[in-house]
Amino acid sequence: MRITTPENDIQKVLFTQEQINARVKEMGAALAEEYRGKQPLMVCILKGASVFYTDLCRAMDCGVFMDFIAVSSYGVSSKSTGVVRIIKDLDSNITGRHVVIVEDIIDSGLTLQYLKELFASRKPASMKTVCLLDKPCHGGGIGADAVGFDIPDEFVVGYGLDYAGHYRNLPYIGVLKREVYE
Ligand code: PRP
């Protein structure tokens, strides 16, 4: 692992701050129309989705509730282990409620699949999955109901996404150079 500065470590910018803002506003407006009057429970999957989640919720001009679940599937490795660990569960009871699960990225799709099954067992009134970034081939897992951007199969960081805890606060989404994580 050779982490230096974003200027050195990022190979290219995939989405600028302006492109992300425009897309997130569109997604928030669509969700607000769909859920107006339903008081949806917006569920943030920590930590990667945190930046997208707060922008998305603020782009919804309807009443929402907010809750957070912390899971981990990767540890410090760049590859999914397929094992999802719940570090902090929701505070809310979701039975009979309209739940919107907010993810930052779908890689293998295993995290989302695990959470959908877990939440379905708690009997919500409805459930929708929203993800900012989607990679082309899911390794055995599932896709989301709504996607912000389709992306190539590259290691991306920024706007909440990390490598070993670094780069989450970059305002843009960039591709990490291979030499940083290989
Ligand atoms: C990342 C990301 C997703 C998941 C996607 O989380 O935020 O939750 O991996 O991968 P998958 O589709 O292969 O399951 P990570 O476990 O790295 O934790 P973090 O959100 O705290 O960075």
Side-chain angles (χ1 to χ4, degrees):
M1 192 197 306
R2 280 182 293 143
I3 293 164
T4 59
T5 62
E7 294 72 36
N8 284 326
D9 297 346
I10 303 295
Q11 182 195 316
K12 66 176 176 203
V13 174
L14 209 50
F15 302 109
T16 63
Q17 191 170 5
E18 291 72 26
Q19 288 172 314
I20 298 167
N21 284 348
R23 186 69 184 113
V24 173
K25 283 210 166 76
E26 276 177 7
M27 296 175 82
L31 282 171
E33 287 312 306
E34 188 176 345
Y35 286 95
R36 199 172 301 287
K38 290 186 173 172
Q39 302 283 326
L41 178 69
M42 305 294 292
V43 171
C44 175
I45 305 178
L46 295 170
K47 307 185 185 85
S50 56
V51 180
F52 172 47
Y53 175 84
T54 52
D55 282 347
L56 185 69
C57 288
R58 283 178 292 182
M60 294 174 69
D61 67 342
C62 67
V64 304
F65 288 93
M66 297 167 81
D67 203 349
F68 302 83
I69 186 167
V71 301
S72 185
S73 58
Y74 282 10
V76 293
S77 156
S78 65
K79 290 257 155 49
S80 175
T81 58
V83 177
V84 178
R85 212 158 45 94
I86 294 202
I87 297 159
K88 178 217 167 286
D89 205 340
L90 297 174
D91 294 333
S92 325
N93 178 358
I94 65 169
T95 305
R97 302 180 70 178
H98 297 285
V99 173
V100 180
I101 304 175
V102 182
E103 250 297 22
D104 54 338
I105 187 165
I106 297 178
D107 193 347
S108 70
L110 292 170
T111 304
L112 201 56
Q113 181 167 12
Y114 177 86
L115 287 173
K116 259 187 99 169
E117 285 168 11
L118 174 72
F119 291 166
S121 73
R122 299 176 182 178
K123 309 273 183 254
S126 71
M127 191 163 45
K128 185 182 183 99
T129 53
V130 177
C131 190
L132 182 63
L133 305 174
D134 194 8
K135 283 194 177 179
C137 30
H138 304 145
I142 58 166
D145 300 318
V147 169
F149 300 104
D150 289 310
I151 61 165
D153 190 14
E154 293 185 282
F155 200 104
V156 293
V157 295
Y159 197 67
L161 290 102
D162 74 313
Y163 173 58
H166 296 259
Y167 315 111
R168 286 198 204 272
N169 63 329
L170 295 180
Y172 57 87
I173 293 169
V175 175
L176 197 59
K177 286 181 185 166
R178 271 186 181 278
E179 66 226 46
V180 178
Y181 60 90
E182 278 187 343

